[in-house]
Every structure is written in C-alpha cells, then in structure tokens.
Amino acid sequence: MELSLLLEYGWVLVVLVVLEGLLAADNALVLAIMVKHLPDDKRKKALFYGLMGAFIFRLGSLFLISFLVDVWQVQAIGALYLLYISINHIVKKVLGSRNKTDEAADSAPKKPKKQSGFWMTVFKVEVADIAFAVDSILAAVALAVALPPSGLPPIGGLDGGQFIVIFLGGFIGLVIMRFAASFFVKLLHSRPGLEVAAFVIVGWVGVKLAVITLAHPSLGVLDEHFPENKIWKFGFYIVLITIAVCGWFLSSKVPEKEDENPVEELEKQAGK
C-alpha cells in the first residue's frame, strides 16, 4: 500500500476514533442512567450484559452492512437515518435547554415513576445497544466507503482495507465505552457544546453518504466518480474539522458541581 494511501486510511481512522469516543461517552452515560435504579449486584450484571450486547450488535451490524453497502437503497436509508438522528438530537437539545427553565418554575411534587425490573432493564439496554450499533457502523461506513481501493481482498461488498478501518473504529469505540468513557463524559459535561458538535458531524457524515448514494450508477444524479474527487474530499474534511474546532471554542466551560459528577456516577455504575 502506498504512503499516500496509508495516510488517507490513517486519517479516516483517527477521525473515526475521535467520533466514536464522543458517541461512546454519550452511550455509556445513557446505559449508566438506565441501570441506575437497580441494586449494586444487579446493576453490574446489567452493565456487563449491555457491554456484551454492544459488542455482538456492532459486529453483527458490521458484517450485515458489509454485504449491503453497495445497494443504493441501503445507502439512502443510512443517509436519511444519520441526518435524522443528528437533527433530532440537536432539536431535542435546544428544546430541552428551554424546558429546563419551565421545569424549574414548576415546583409541584410529582409521583415517582415505577422502575423496571432486572430483565426488563436488560432488555431496554440491549435495545439501546442496537440503536448505538447502527449509529456507529453507519457513520463509520459513510466515512470509509469513499476511501480508494486498498488492494486487499474484499469482505462482502466492502474493500478489505475499508472493512478493517470500520472494524477498528467500532472496536476502539467499544474499548472507549468500557475503559475511557469517563474522560469523554467529563469532557462532554464540562463542555456541553461538544456533544452538539459531535451530532453535527454525524449529520455531515450523513450528507457524505447521501452524496455517495446520488453518485450510485443506478441513480446517476451525480457523476459516479464525484465522491472520489479530491476537491470534494478535501472540502468534506475541512468542514468536519471546522465543526469540531467551533464546537470546542464556542462551548463555554461549565464548572463542575460537587453534587453533580457524571464521571463518578458512571464509575459507580460500572463497579469501579
């Protein structure tokens, strides 16, 4: 493999790892909240099942999508889905911050909700894992599918090199979810704007997958070789880096309160 090709593959892998890290932190915090009501021993078991489910579903999603990746209908659904979760999350984030003021004004006591049992909680965690797996693999595929051929034997409908990049990105995401999520959770908590930036990046990746779909030979809306155009590739990564940089500098740092530490809470749920 040529040096320029290795650099391009390496760059996409770095972008994937960063994106997976931010998404894994968000996912890990969601899982921690979902099992929070369980007793300590059952909480650890539920998180263990959740991590196992995350691995199985991501691996299954990867192999399934590798055989369907060249089907333009699947590409179109993937692009729409990535755009949907991006827009949906950002809208909820904006509306949620507005609703906090209204909720603070409403001081009337509310009846506590009935919590789910152990196996129902595990079921909900696994359903969440499926959604996380689809989000992760689709974003990875959208980034990797435009990479030039590596010369490695194909796996399903993917070039061998593309498959390896996607697999490594997903695997590293799982490692981050288990071992390094506390760092990213703390980062997201101290700079909330980074979470919004992460989902803007997901939406931008959705745009890239939409471009690949429109350039599919069966549609022919765009030139078949447009996704491989160097100007388009350069512009895509410039916008991606700009979003990340803006997310960092435009996100005001929030001082951490003693009674509000999501990192400590996540570590407690993980039994550390």
Side-chain angles (χ1 to χ4, degrees):
M1 195 181 286
E2 296 178 359
L3 179 60
S4 59
L5 202 58
L6 280 173
L7 290 175
E8 188 169 358
Y9 270 75
W11 167 246
V12 170
L13 182 58
V14 169
V15 172
L16 265 180
V17 169
V18 174
L19 183 57
E20 287 281 0
L22 291 171
L23 294 179
D26 192 45
N27 298 351
L29 188 56
V30 169
L31 295 183
I33 293 171
M34 289 177 74
V35 303
K36 185 177 180 180
H37 66 282
L38 295 173
D40 288 342
D41 56 338
K42 291 186 176 180
R43 186 184 306 156
K44 293 174 185 178
K45 287 182 181 179
L47 277 175
F48 173 77
Y49 291 145
L51 290 169
M52 285 295 294
F55 177 78
I56 292 170
F57 290 132
R58 286 196 186 202
L59 194 61
S61 298
L62 172 56
F63 278 98
L64 179 63
I65 291 177
S66 69
F67 284 95
L68 300 175
V69 69
D70 201 39
V71 181
W72 74 264
Q73 291 89 341
V74 174
Q75 293 176 348
I77 292 171
L80 290 173
Y81 181 71
L82 290 177
L83 289 169
Y84 166 76
I85 63 172
S86 173
I87 296 170
N88 184 57
H89 181 88
I90 294 170
V91 170
K92 281 185 176 180
K93 196 77 176 176
V94 172
L95 293 179
S97 60
R98 291 179 180 176
N99 291 336
K100 282 183 180 179
T101 306
D102 299 334
E103 290 176 2
D106 184 12
S107 57
K110 297 180 180 179
K111 185 178 179 180
K113 295 181 180 179
K114 184 179 179 181
Q115 300 289 359
S116 302
F118 174 74
W119 287 112
M120 180 53 69
T121 300
V122 170
F123 174 75
K124 290 180 179 179
V125 167
E126 300 303 342
V127 171
D129 279 336
I130 294 174
F132 295 155
V134 172
D135 297 349
S136 170
I137 296 301
L138 279 177
V141 168
L143 280 171
V145 75
L147 285 169
S150 65
L152 297 176
I155 300 176
L158 282 172
D159 174 86
Q162 295 173 355
F163 183 91
I164 291 173
V165 167
I166 297 169
F167 176 81
L168 287 176
F171 181 77
I172 292 171
L174 287 174
V175 174
I176 291 172
M177 185 183 290
R178 176 61 184 90
F179 295 105
S182 60
F183 168 76
F184 284 98
V185 169
K186 187 173 183 179
L187 186 64
L188 290 175
H189 184 65
S190 61
R191 291 184 178 272
L194 283 179
E195 184 177 356
V196 176
F199 278 90
V200 172
I201 289 174
V202 170
W204 181 233
V205 171
V207 171
K208 181 175 185 177
L209 189 54
V211 168
I212 293 171
T213 303
L214 295 174
H216 194 281
S218 299
L219 292 178
V221 176
L222 295 176
D223 182 79
E224 182 180 352
H225 300 290
F226 179 78
E228 302 166 12
N229 184 283
K230 291 184 178 180
I231 296 177
W232 158 246
K233 284 186 176 182
F234 182 75
F236 172 81
Y237 287 115
I238 287 294
V239 172
L240 188 146
I241 293 171
T242 301
I243 294 170
V245 171
C246 289
W248 177 266
F249 286 105
L250 296 180
S251 177
S252 56
K253 193 169 184 179
V254 178
E256 186 176 350
K257 299 177 183 179
E258 292 183 2
D259 60 343
E260 189 180 354
N261 188 342
V263 180
E264 182 180 348
E265 184 62 36
L266 181 62
E267 290 177 349
K268 284 180 180 178
Q269 310 309 324
K272 292 184 180 179

